[in-house]
Amino acid sequence: MNVLDTDFAKQFVRAAAEGWRQGWHECNGGNLSYRLRPDEAAQVAACLDPGEWRPLAEGVQAPGVAGEHFLVTAAGSFFSNVEREPQACAGIIEVDRHGTAFRPCWGFAGEGRPTSELPSHLLNHEAKKAATEGACRVVYHAHPANLVALTFVLPLEGKAFTRELWKAISECALVFPAGVGVLEWMNPGSVELGRASAELMRDHDAVVWAHHGIICAGSTFDQAFGLLHTVEKASEILVKVRAMQPEPRSFITDENIRTMSDAYGLGIDVA
């Protein structure tokens, strides 16, 4: 079967296109990756043409995803073009048996290569695979404007940031009861950023990168996209509320959050 005829490739293209339409991907900003299931890799095996092995960034090892295949966006590609030119804006790679190198197998037309955030994606995939017993398969990084704006005014600390989001819209506690992790500004594309994110991803499905964006993970494209969408909508509400009234007259209280947690079995500790 042709790669672009598979369900996973269609969902990948759809997620990228919708992210562009949301305004989360200026220029070549953001990246997306999907860890193929063994049956999906076998399904497209005849289409793969493995190239030369290339080392990951110096010192990066991701043995937890060794031997796996990933569909990832290409370095420098624009999300606005993924729907129109998927084979140029994305490609499939295979990770070697040690988790220290990769080789392109499909796509990246025109001498393209995987996103510069590839080490971060693989490290986060490794962390989420272990934390979810293999269920998590999507890692999505974007630059939603309202969320980025909040990183200039909210404390860059996970619990405090999470509480502000939870109090903005009821849906938040339901969608991400484990809260969000938060990192202070770190150099984009750096191994340090990837490692720090992966550490927080062990306990969260979303990590905010101050003055940069967010990285989210999910078992499906809908879960990862929906999580990011929910965080950004809450951020938009907070930005509007703060613009209208610095000290809001009402908001979702800790007791309200406890009520939701008890009603839906979320296990949230609001202490």
Side-chain angles (χ1 to χ4, degrees), residues 215-252:
I215 187 167
C216 292
S219 299
T220 66
F221 288 98
D222 281 346
Q223 284 185 353
F225 187 94
L227 171 57
L228 203 160
H229 201 182
T230 305
V231 171
E232 172 62 359
K233 175 168 278 190
S235 300
E236 181 180 2
I237 291 170
L238 281 172
V239 168
K240 289 179 176 179
V241 168
R242 282 174 173 255
M244 292 186 294
Q245 179 63 260
E247 296 295 331
R249 295 195 174 108
S250 68
F251 48 82
I252 297 172

Side-chain angles (χ1 to χ4, degrees), residues 15-16 19-20 23-31 79-80 140-143:
W20 159 251
W24 299 341
H25 300 283
E26 75 294 336
C27 195
N28 62 337
N31 24 77
F79 269 55
S80 58
Y140 183 20
H141 166 52
H143 302 162

Side-chain angles (χ1 to χ4, degrees), residues 80-235:
S80 58
N81 294 331
V82 173
E83 196 170 36
R84 185 169 61 255
E85 302 176 301
Q87 201 160 341
C89 296
I92 293 176
I93 65 165
E94 178 185 6
V95 179
D96 76 345
R97 62 190 180 93
H98 303 293
T100 58
F102 74 93
R103 60 181 176 183
C105 297
W106 175 89
F108 306 119
E111 299 184 359
R113 55 187 175 80
T115 170
S116 61
E117 297 275 10
L118 180 62
S120 182
H121 276 258
L122 295 182
L123 290 170
N124 280 276
H125 271 289
E126 182 182 47
K128 294 309 294 183
K129 178 183 176 183
T132 64
E133 298 183 345
C136 181
R137 294 193 172 274
V138 180
V139 170
Y140 183 20
H141 166 52
H143 302 162
N146 292 288
L147 174 64
V148 174
L150 286 183
T151 66
F152 289 87
V153 298
L154 294 185
L156 298 180
E157 189 277 322
K159 287 187 177 181
F161 210 102
T162 293
R163 185 165 295 192
E164 292 289 332
L165 294 173
W166 281 347
K167 290 184 176 184
I169 182 172
S170 302
E171 194 74 8
C172 287
L174 300 172
V175 173
F176 51 97
V180 299
V182 178
L183 291 173
E184 294 190 0
W185 186 89
M186 301 178 75
N187 196 30
S190 67
V191 172
E192 291 74 21
L193 177 58
R195 286 177 174 149
S197 299
E199 186 62 33
L200 289 176
M201 277 288 193
R202 300 180 192 281
D203 300 312
H204 306 282
D205 291 328
V207 177
V208 176
W209 291 351
H211 322 319
H212 182 167
I214 187 171
I215 187 167
C216 292
S219 299
T220 66
F221 288 98
D222 281 346
Q223 284 185 353
F225 187 94
L227 171 57
L228 203 160
H229 201 182
T230 305
V231 171
E232 172 62 359
K233 175 168 278 190
S235 300

